[in-house]
Each structure stands twice: as structure tokens, then as C-alpha cells.
Amino acid sequence: MASDSRPPPYYENYAYQPENLVPPRHASGFNVCQQYRSPYWPATVPHYVPRVCNQPSIPAPAVVHPSSSSAKICTPRIRKALCLSLSIIILLVGAAIAGILIWYFVTDHCFGSKIRCGTQAVCVSPSQWCNGVDDCPNGEDENRCVRLYGPRFLLEVYSSESKDWYPVCYDDWNDNYGKTACVDMGYNEDTYFKSEATKLTSTFTSFMRLNTSAEDTDLYKKLYNSKLCSSGRMVSLRCIKCGSSSKNPNPRNRIVGGNVAVLGEWPWQVSLHIQGIHLCGGSIITPEWIVTAAHCVEGSYSQPIYWRVYAGFLLQQEMLRSRGHRVAKIIPHPNYDTESKNNDVALMKLQSPLNFNEVIGPVCLPNPGMMFQPTQRCWISGWGAQHQGGNTSKELNAAMVPLIESSRCNARHVYNGHILSTMICAGYLEGKVDSCQGDSGGPLVTEKHAVWWLVGDTSWGTGCASVYKPGVYGNMTQFTDWIYRNMQANR
């Protein structure tokens, strides 16, 4: 088979449209490309199907040549009025430019994924935080470096002196310290769940301990590096009660040609709409934050004002009777590549928080140090098409798919080297079950230690359930740090 240097196409999202319903007109100034149902070419010939934008033709303005009669109209009084009007317009434009400049220098002007250094007008990238180098003028990027590690949610703090991460000894720890640590990770204090003591393992020989006699109220100035931990226990911190499902998943459920999911089975699943039409899926990680795919919010779709988020629903028809949640901000990964689908992840911040209950709740982000084994059982869910080339589903469906080792997925007869470290494959090489168009951005999850973890977000694939073409998902273990940095910067 001849090798194609281009990566295979991603799932095109054909919107759910109920019968006999005329979709609303697009808002003025919002250019949405009309999405044509593309033909599905053989899996051996991967290609892109471009979106075609039909722009209404605008007639060229007629050129009016002055005549002798019109010249007589241009009296000195009229010329004076024209000059006055022009002066007013120039002043207004100047004032607008001045206002923009004032806004830029006075307010937070850190565009993209960059993070503002406290009150300083300096922006640094997420990769510059917690790396042992003071990139901010006052060293804010190294002062509050905290993370959760492994499946036991071990609290770790970065030491700028030792330039390494250390677990926190449970001696003298309490919930107030836990809330402070969670807030500095980007969570709201209201979501705080609990702090627990977990048994010390021989892996760690150094710890961060609390100096309770320190007068400074800053938690991180009370922590110091120590070789001893009297209690022999470390802090396990849960900033939010995540990864809980009120129903046991049924592995027979399928997305392609499948059955409807059960309400409360996948409480983190959301449907993302534009103009009342389902385009993509997403996953709840906090009451205000949604994880989805970057390719869902490209181009004209990057404007928050046009999106609505629906949580706690199984049927698309039910969403049409709900107002949904407005989106305040969209943050695509700054290194997302539209051709290769590298770094295909984005964040949505809601204008108002979700109310969690038995059918609406967050999934857990994978912590650093977590490893998901090849063939590990995972589940996908969404309102995508139930067969290749079909319309998106009216009902939420789910399927069990095993992870596939990257080396197998990169084989010549599969994806021929197109699977990068930011991607993960799941499904079956013989086809059977798969994500499909309309599932993009939705969750790939697994259960481990009685907790549901977000392994990936639905990204791309050749066809649906095609032989040797399994689904490809954003590798969430590569994005967790980026997600927390942006939650910190946009609290």
C-alpha cells in the first residue's frame, strides 16, 4: 500500500436535527460553514474533506461619476458640514483606539494559554510554571506549585531549591490547608471534598512538612523539606468528588448501531450545541469547566457566545426545551495542529456553575504517575452516528472499547506512524465498535481503584468501526498539567 504523508481525517460532526424542524438562522456576523456529508473513502486512502463555506455574493457598489448638476450642489456650506462630520468620525475612532490601548495595558492581556504573573504586566507560558526558574518578576510562577500524584491522589509540592516534587507529610495537616492547596490548583473552595492520611511507601525518602510555629500564614512558606515524617503517613487530597457513577456500565451498549445509555451512568457527559444543534461532546471536570476537543472549536466555532452546554440529558429532544449553560471562555491548546490533530484538546469555562446531582457530576482527571495498560477496558459515550455516514443519534449511547498499544496502532497497515504521544488508540482492529461523527470531544473513560478517570477525548479516525482503523483519542495524561495551569489562571 502506498504511504500517504497526510494523517487520516477526523470525525466530521453532522448536527442532530429533529424532523420537521427548521434550524435557526445564524447570528449576524457568525459565518458557519455549511457541512456537507462527505463520502467515506476506502480506509486505504485517507484524505481530508474540506468544509465548504457558501458566502452570499455581494454586488460591487456602483461607481457614480459627478455630473455638472451634482457639482453645483457642493456649496461651501455643505463642504463645511462634511469636514465637521469627518472630524467627529476621526475623533470617535481615535477614542476607540485609545480605549482599546488602555484596556490592553490595564487589564489582563495574557492571550492564548499564557498566565499573568500576579499584578505584574508579564505573561508566561504554562510550561514555565514550576520548573525551578523564576520567570515572573516576583517569582509567583514558583511559589504555589502543587499537584496530585497517582491513583491515591497524593498531594505533592514542588521545591524550588531541590527542583523536585515531594509528598506532604500528614503531621499537623487539616482541611484548611487542604482547601488552600486545592484553590491554588485552580479549584473553587466550594468543591473541596476531603483530606486523608495514606500509608507511607518506601518509594519516598524526602517529604514536605508543616512548620506550625511559623508566623507566616502562607501555607507554602510553612512547608519545608525533611527526611522525617513522624506519623509515617502522607496527605491524600481530594479537591472535588469526581469519578462517581450511580449506575454500573453495561459493556454490551454500543455507539455504532448501539443501545441507549442509562441516566446517571455517565454523569460527566455533556452535549455541546451551536444554534440549537449538537456538534460535539465534552466532559465535566468541575462545576465550571468542560474538556472537549480543539477541532470542535476551530475557526468560527471559537466564539463562546454561540455555544450552549447541556448536562444531565439522554435525549437531544429534551435539550431543545432547555436553555442550557452559556460559555464564558474557550481555551484551545496553543500547540493544537489542525492537520495532524496533535494536542487536540480544549477547555470551556461556563458563565454559571453546574449543579451536581445523581445525573450530573465530574470525571477525574488522570494524575501524573498514572499508567493505563494496553488492553485496559475503557468506555466511550456520545450522540454520534450509529453507523458510518449516518446522522447523529437522538439518544446517548455508550460502548466498551479496550486500549490499543501505540506500536500496534502505528503499524503500516493501521495508521502508519500517525499516532503521536498526545494520542491514544482504543477499539478493535477488526472493527466492531467505535466512535463516529458527532462523538468528537466526548469522553474515553476507565474505572480504576473504584474511580472513573478521563483517559482521553474523542479526536479522529478513518470511518467508523472500519477494519484496522480504530478510534483515536487525545491522551489526557499529556494534558492534565496544561488543564490545571489554565484553571489557575482563569479562576
Side-chain angles (χ1 to χ4, degrees), residues 179-323:
K179 290 178 181 178
T180 300
C182 287
V183 168
D184 284 324
M185 288 179 62
Y187 289 98
N188 288 328
E189 189 174 299
D190 296 340
T191 69
Y192 177 77
F193 186 28
K194 62 182 178 179
S195 289
E196 290 182 324
T198 186
K199 188 177 179 181
L200 185 63
T201 64
S202 58
T203 308
F204 302 102
T205 57
S206 294
F207 314 92
M208 300 297 285
R209 293 189 64 179
L210 279 168
N211 180 7
T212 54
S213 62
E215 295 182 0
D216 202 303
T217 57
D218 192 320
L219 168 63
Y220 298 95
K221 291 180 180 178
K222 288 185 176 183
L223 291 169
Y224 67 97
N225 199 271
S226 174
K227 297 287 185 182
L228 299 175
C229 182
S230 303
S231 65
R233 299 180 299 171
M234 299 176 292
V235 176
S236 172
L237 181 63
R238 298 288 300 273
C239 294
I240 190 169
K241 188 178 181 181
C242 59
S244 299
S245 173
S246 61
K247 306 291 181 181
N248 292 321
N250 182 353
R252 293 175 298 174
N253 285 351
R254 303 168 57 196
I255 287 186
V256 177
N259 301 314
V260 68
V262 177
L263 191 64
E265 192 174 16
W266 315 108
W268 42 82
Q269 172 80 59
V270 296
S271 176
L272 306 180
H273 284 212
I274 282 186
Q275 301 288 316
I277 297 172
H278 168 84
L279 288 186
C280 281
S283 303
I284 302 169
I285 56 171
T286 79
E288 295 176 315
W289 289 100
I290 307 295
V291 173
T292 187
H295 79 255
C296 289
V297 294
E298 285 188 275
S300 298
Y301 298 94
S302 64
Q303 299 301 316
I305 192 173
Y306 300 113
W307 287 94
R308 293 292 184 277
V309 176
Y310 295 88
F313 293 97
L314 289 179
L315 305 177
Q316 286 290 325
Q317 280 282 10
E318 295 175 338
M319 301 178 201
L320 299 177
R321 297 189 291 270
S322 172
R323 298 179 65 179

Side-chain angles (χ1 to χ4, degrees), residues 68-140:
S68 57
S69 58
S70 63
K72 294 177 182 178
I73 301 175
C74 296
T75 63
R77 180 178 296 178
I78 294 177
R79 286 198 298 270
K80 185 177 180 180
L82 289 174
C83 289
L84 181 60
S85 301
L86 184 60
S87 299
I88 293 173
I89 292 172
I90 292 173
L91 286 173
L92 291 174
V93 171
I97 294 173
I100 292 172
L101 290 174
I102 292 171
W103 168 84
Y104 179 84
F105 287 106
V106 173
T107 62
D108 187 352
H109 61 272
C110 295
F111 296 108
S113 66
K114 288 195 172 183
I115 301 171
R116 187 184 181 93
C117 293
T119 58
Q120 304 294 321
V122 177
C123 305
V124 299
S125 67
S127 62
Q128 292 174 288
W129 284 68
C130 303
N131 63 355
V133 179
D134 289 344
D135 295 296
C136 290
N138 296 326
E140 299 99 321

Side-chain angles (χ1 to χ4, degrees), residues 147-470:
R147 73 179 186 183
L148 302 178
Y149 185 85
R152 291 192 292 166
F153 297 92
L154 294 180
L155 174 62
E156 288 191 337
V157 174
Y158 186 80
S159 170
S160 296
E161 295 179 1
S162 303
K163 293 182 172 50
D164 204 355
W165 293 89
Y166 296 97
V168 178
C169 179
Y170 195 73
D171 295 354
D172 302 312
W173 189 263
N174 60 45
D175 282 331
N176 288 330
Y177 295 131
K179 290 178 181 178
T180 300
C182 287
V183 168
D184 284 324
M185 288 179 62
Y187 289 98
N188 288 328
E189 189 174 299
D190 296 340
T191 69
Y192 177 77
F193 186 28
K194 62 182 178 179
S195 289
E196 290 182 324
T198 186
K199 188 177 179 181
L200 185 63
T201 64
S202 58
T203 308
F204 302 102
T205 57
S206 294
F207 314 92
M208 300 297 285
R209 293 189 64 179
L210 279 168
N211 180 7
T212 54
S213 62
E215 295 182 0
D216 202 303
T217 57
D218 192 320
L219 168 63
Y220 298 95
K221 291 180 180 178
K222 288 185 176 183
L223 291 169
Y224 67 97
N225 199 271
S226 174
K227 297 287 185 182
L228 299 175
C229 182
S230 303
S231 65
R233 299 180 299 171
M234 299 176 292
V235 176
S236 172
L237 181 63
R238 298 288 300 273
C239 294
I240 190 169
K241 188 178 181 181
C242 59
S244 299
S245 173
S246 61
K247 306 291 181 181
N248 292 321
N250 182 353
R252 293 175 298 174
N253 285 351
R254 303 168 57 196
I255 287 186
V256 177
N259 301 314
V260 68
V262 177
L263 191 64
E265 192 174 16
W266 315 108
W268 42 82
Q269 172 80 59
V270 296
S271 176
L272 306 180
H273 284 212
I274 282 186
Q275 301 288 316
I277 297 172
H278 168 84
L279 288 186
C280 281
S283 303
I284 302 169
I285 56 171
T286 79
E288 295 176 315
W289 289 100
I290 307 295
V291 173
T292 187
H295 79 255
C296 289
V297 294
E298 285 188 275
S300 298
Y301 298 94
S302 64
Q303 299 301 316
I305 192 173
Y306 300 113
W307 287 94
R308 293 292 184 277
V309 176
Y310 295 88
F313 293 97
L314 289 179
L315 305 177
Q316 286 290 325
Q317 280 282 10
E318 295 175 338
M319 301 178 201
L320 299 177
R321 297 189 291 270
S322 172
R323 298 179 65 179
H325 284 256
R326 293 177 179 269
V327 177
K329 192 169 190 176
I330 294 177
I331 309 174
H333 197 286
N335 298 324
Y336 166 66
D337 182 71
T338 187
E339 296 296 324
S340 66
K341 298 297 170 283
N342 191 23
N343 297 302
D344 193 6
V345 65
L347 287 171
M348 283 186 174
K349 185 176 184 183
L350 304 179
Q351 288 187 9
S352 58
L354 296 166
N355 295 317
F356 290 166
N357 51 43
E358 287 190 355
V359 298
I360 302 176
V363 65
C364 293
L365 289 172
N367 297 322
M370 291 192 66
M371 299 292 293
F372 299 113
Q373 302 300 322
T375 73
Q376 176 143 354
R377 296 203 317 170
C378 296
W379 274 259
I380 49 178
S381 53
W383 287 271
Q386 294 178 290
H387 59 86
Q388 184 171 313
N391 294 323
T392 49
S393 174
K394 299 178 180 180
E395 304 168 317
L396 178 64
N397 294 279
M400 193 279 287
V401 289
L403 296 182
I404 301 175
E405 198 169 7
S406 292
S407 59
R408 294 187 65 194
C409 210
N410 262 328
R412 183 178 179 84
H413 62 286
V414 188
Y415 282 127
N416 196 25
H418 291 302
I419 306 303
L420 307 177
S421 62
T422 59
M423 305 174 188
I424 190 167
C425 290
Y428 303 88
L429 294 182
E430 59 269 31
K432 290 185 178 180
V433 181
D434 195 9
S435 299
C436 207
Q437 65 265 15
D439 289 318
S440 289
L444 170 73
V445 298
T446 191
E447 188 179 25
K448 198 171 185 178
H449 299 277
V451 172
W452 285 94
W453 305 88
L454 184 62
V455 179
D457 63 294
T458 305
S459 182
W460 60 271
T462 298
C464 303
S466 301
V467 177
Y468 292 128
K469 302 298 175 187

